[in-house]
Amino acid sequence: MLKRVLGRRDEENKVKKEGRLPPGQSLTTRFPVLHYGPTPGFDPATWTFQVHGEVEEEVTWTWQEFQKLPRTKLKMDIHCVTRWSKFDTEWEGVHIKTLIDHGLIKPKDTAKFVIQHCEYGFTTNTPLDWVTGPNFLLATHFDGEPLTPDHGYPLRAVVGAIPNRRDLAEPYFWKGGKWLRSLEFVQEDQLGFWEKAGYHNEANVWKEQRFSYQY
Ligand SMILES: Nc1nc2c(c(=O)[nH]1)N[C@H]1C(S)=C(S)[C@@H](COP(=O)(O)O)O[C@H]1N2
Ligand SMILES: [Mo]
């Protein structure tokens, strides 16, 4: 495998040459765990996933029902605001665009933003456009395996960069909530947990929008 032969620094130079290493980032071959608070448990008998707010019909899916939704695989680069980037990460799960195309989620015209609600009240916010993009996934699997508890099992959102798709919003990785329990479609933006703590609401990795203020 090329990956095994190249050292970390060689891999970094390679993605840098390809224009995939955003400013101030460095390549990691590990998968760091980052979140505030404890890792929640999961009970498939009581877990639900809800879609609510500015939608024609609110829906609630059980874990069993969630398994039956149309699934997609997605490969992308992820960039954490704490300066690590991980390239060609492979995810599997559910695309919101697919759910909308199948009429399983029907946003109202008034829906402009989406709030991700996670266990223990964690939230993060994005424009509706971002969550319907090809680089945003409701992920159940990473690298062919179910997510580990620390990385968001059973369900998390992921958002990142698809090489050669610089037309898409490319925010830092915190815009993907782990232990996701609902999506709320809203008219007005509402700052989430890290956004309220001073992280930049746009969070664009190429513009290095890490914080909402300058030191
Ligand atoms: N529920 C929840 N999701 C979260 C966070 C959090 O604190 N709580 N932190 C975010 C941040 S800052 C990052 S960088 C990624 C990290 O995901 P990872 O631990 O799988 O690397 O999760 C994001 N999702
Ligand atoms: Mo982060």
Side-chain angles (χ1 to χ4, degrees):
M1 290 291 292
L2 192 62
K3 276 214 164 144
R4 298 258 160 79
V5 175
L6 293 181
R8 192 205 68 83
R9 186 50 69 95
D10 298 323
E11 280 188 47
E12 188 172 276
N13 285 335
K14 179 174 166 281
V15 290
K16 197 171 183 174
K17 272 198 205 108
E18 291 167 351
R20 294 163 62 187
L21 186 69
Q25 295 296 110
S26 63
L27 177 145
T28 180
T29 52
R30 301 177 306 119
F31 192 179
V33 169
L34 269 161
H35 57 261
Y36 176 80
T39 296
F42 167 61
D43 179 355
T46 56
W47 185 93
T48 55
F49 183 75
Q50 264 190 300
V51 181
H52 55 118
E54 299 291 310
V55 285
E56 298 298 339
E57 288 161 41
E58 301 203 329
V59 293
T60 304
W61 289 308
T62 63
W63 179 239
Q64 220 179 358
E65 288 164 340
F66 198 89
Q67 308 309 304
K68 295 180 187 143
L69 298 174
R71 300 179 65 79
T72 308
K73 288 184 181 174
L74 171 61
K75 184 152 119 174
M76 62 184 177
D77 303 338
I78 55 179
H79 305 295
C80 176
V81 71
T82 61
R83 299 183 182 275
W84 56 264
S85 293
K86 195 167 171 62
F87 293 83
D88 296 318
T89 61
E90 295 188 357
W91 303 91
E92 191 187 316
V94 175
H95 254 152
I96 294 176
K97 175 76 164 50
T98 310
L99 299 182
I100 293 173
D101 290 347
H102 282 69
L104 295 164
I105 296 180
K106 297 176 196 150
K108 289 185 179 171
D109 291 343
T110 47
K112 301 291 180 229
F113 296 89
V114 175
I115 313 299
Q116 301 168 37
H117 292 271
C118 304
E119 299 286 358
Y120 300 137
F122 178 91
T123 57
T124 185
N125 57 300
T126 61
L128 174 61
D129 285 2
W130 295 16
V131 305
T132 55
N135 58 334
F136 186 100
L137 194 70
L138 305 177
T140 56
H141 287 66
F142 170 74
D143 230 356
E145 302 285 339
L147 298 171
T148 60
D150 278 353
H151 286 296
Y153 181 76
L155 180 70
R156 73 173 302 170
V158 285
V159 62
I162 299 174
N164 305 317
R165 286 298 308 267
R166 293 283 290 276
D167 56 308
L168 303 170
E170 295 179 338
Y172 289 109
F173 197 43
W174 88 77
K175 293 282 186 181
K178 304 197 278 193
W179 313 294
L180 186 65
R181 294 295 304 273
S182 83
L183 294 176
E184 183 185 7
F185 289 66
V186 293
Q187 301 188 26
E188 307 278 340
D189 202 8
Q190 295 167 22
L191 297 184
F193 179 87
W194 292 115
E195 292 82 2
K196 274 188 208 149
Y199 287 85
H200 200 293
N201 197 29
E202 313 281 307
N204 182 282
V205 299
W206 298 100
K207 296 183 190 162
E208 269 205 274
Q209 293 172 326
R210 297 175 195 275
F211 306 104
S212 57
Y213 47 83
Q214 299 288 328
Y215 287 101

